[in-house]
Amino acid sequence: MGFNGITGAVNEPGEIPWEIVVIYFALALLFAFYYGKKSGGLKAFTTLDLVYIGIGAAFAVVWEFYIGSFIGRFLPSTPFIGVGFWGRMVIVFIVAALVRKVGSGMLTLFIFDLLSDIFHYGFGGEPMFFIYESLTYGLFVDIMIAITGGKLFGIGYVPKGNGDNIQRATMLTTVLAVVEGGILGFLWAIPDPIFYDGFIGPFIYAYAPNWAKITFHLEAFIPGDVVFGIIASILALRIVKAVGH
Amino acid sequence: MALLTSLYENPLLQNIISWYLVLFGVALPVLLIFWLIGLKGFVELTKYEKGTTFLYKVNPITKIAFGIVVMIVASVTIWWIGALLTLTILPLYLTLNNGLKKFGYVVMLTISSLVGSTWAIAPYTPPYILQQVFPNQQPIVVWVWPSYFSAMGYVPDLTLQALIYGVQTAFRVTATLVAALLLVVTTSVSDLFRSFTKIKVPLAITFSLMVGFKTIPKIFELLDTSIKMQMLRGLGYGKPRVIRTFYLIYGGIMAIVPTMVYLFRGAKSLAISADTRAFRAYQSRTLYKEPPITKYDYIMFGVIISLIILAIVTNMVGFGRSIPYVGL
């Protein structure tokens, strides 16, 4: 038995090779640093961005640990439904839509983890969760911001030539939001089964990786996450408009 | 037992009672807590109030260290040490401002967490894990779920051992929960800010964290106001008390987007006021006052060291972590 019950089991049969996990997180970290340097890193965020991130992270904590967890208890517990997780997804997407700078996803998840440590977990599992959540969920959002050139969910997108046709522009923005939200929702369904069931679980608790369970969890997470990704992107559009940013 | 057996052997009764257990066995205790704590209680438990007693004078870093050590001790020792820690930390709430009220709220939150966590663990724990936990015991079946419940991940037989295992695991969560909230209710945002600056956390991260810290109780307040406004407009008017609770939850969900918009709109004023006071204009910050290390901190250091010794000793005499977390 290792420290604090962490056995540090690697290369168990069926476990994702540790080299792949290390390479993923090293590359993710490199991307974060590269983009951070290119855009000015933490300094690139205006004070307003930092306030948005703080409020969003607070909301995610309130939802995941207080409201969402109570609502979740009314529903049968199945991997198809993740009330707490969906709420966090919606809130992170809204913050990303308000800030629209690479790094906002990672920083929001980071602050969310810090706040949940202070209010709930008491720093259990750190620093692993900072690295894991920021560089998976947060990073996916940031990559989408990078790909869309800061026009996440079609915010600020002006269609060529027909910019004055408001109806068409609104429709195009909504379509962009639905597509991007759907893709992000799909991506958010992947880290938990792959990294948690496939590596971190066996690593910490030394349980045998079960690929039938991993595949089932993937299939179970994807539909709900995609639907909520789409709802989140549309909600983000509305809220960005209402905030007048 | 014979009565229970006759209940779950009748398919109709088995279905009705099973669903009752799933929905209300979990939801009803939570609802009772919600009636008793309410959003006001959550504000009380997440908001700092100025105070003069012992815990208000301890340096924030010491309190964070205390929380971390409680977490470590609870996770490396046998379950009843976690339970004892929970029961020892709870009376500390009595020393706070409005102590009795805070104590009442935190006790209810602890009970709700215990019930919730037990129910989240017990029906899903497979027999082979229970065999490891209680090696020489014959499982006592308390309830048998309908066969289709296995689709929700339920183990067909709910045993007494599974329930005990659920309670044991739940006590690990409560120890850290009560220790963590103690920091929250006794530390002002500015003290926490100073402490984080002192240990060289980047200013951008500290600032966002502090905004979040301040915002959490505010969210409960705003949700409360918004739900009350909806009630004033007649939401759930004249409905029986039990049904009204569902209206309350509905009102809570409806309140989320307006609360969010309200807070995000307010973000601008906060940012402007911070910027006009030259926030982040300089690389480093100089502080007017740093949180001192007082005799109270030394007392806490003593407690923290004793806790670490307790963890080592209990592990040496065989009371280390004995519950397998396998698969959880």
Side-chain angles (χ1 to χ4, degrees), chain B residues 127-139:
Chain B
Y128 76 89
I129 288 178
L130 294 174
Q131 255 166 26
Q132 289 175 40
V133 187
F134 309 100
N136 299 317
Q137 284 183 24
Q138 193 61 34

Side-chain angles (χ1 to χ4, degrees), chain A residues 95-160:
Chain A
V95 173
L98 282 164
V99 179
R100 298 196 300 281
K101 282 178 191 151
V102 178
S104 54
M106 287 187 279
L107 190 58
T108 311
L109 259 303
F110 189 85
I111 302 290
F112 164 77
D113 276 341
L114 255 177
L115 279 174
S116 48
D117 280 337
I118 294 175
F119 281 82
H120 192 81
Y121 293 126
F123 294 88
E126 300 302 356
M128 194 181 71
F129 282 109
F130 285 139
I131 301 165
Y132 166 62
E133 299 212 311
S134 306
L135 291 181
T136 53
Y137 305 122
L139 183 74
F140 297 157
V141 174
D142 290 339
I143 290 177
M144 187 60 91
I145 295 174
I147 290 173
T148 54
K151 294 190 172 64
L152 186 69
F153 303 142
I155 297 162
Y157 171 76
V158 183
K160 273 182 206 139

Side-chain angles (χ1 to χ4, degrees), chain B residues 233-294:
Chain B
R233 288 175 59 204
L235 184 74
Y237 179 77
K239 297 282 190 308
R241 194 170 158 80
V242 175
I243 309 275
R244 270 190 63 183
T245 307
F246 290 96
Y247 278 103
L248 261 177
I249 293 167
Y250 172 78
I253 295 170
M254 289 296 114
I256 288 170
V257 172
T259 305
M260 220 180 237
V261 172
Y262 177 86
L263 281 171
F264 282 135
R265 287 186 83 117
K268 274 181 196 159
S269 351
L270 183 59
I272 292 168
S273 60
D275 281 338
T276 46
R277 302 299 302 164
F279 173 66
R280 292 206 298 171
Y282 304 103
Q283 281 287 342
S284 62
R285 261 182 90 87
T286 48
L287 300 170
Y288 285 126
K289 184 178 165 279
E290 286 182 0
I293 301 282
T294 59

Side-chain angles (χ1 to χ4, degrees), chain A residues 183-199:
Chain A
I183 293 172
L184 276 178
F186 177 81
L187 289 173
W188 270 49
I190 297 172
D192 202 35
I194 295 291
F195 284 118
Y196 218 92
D197 294 348
F199 182 78

Side-chain angles (χ1 to χ4, degrees), chain B residues 165-180:
Chain B
Y165 177 65
V167 175
Q168 291 180 349
T169 318
F171 265 120
R172 293 170 192 279
V173 184
T174 53
T176 44
L177 180 74
V178 291

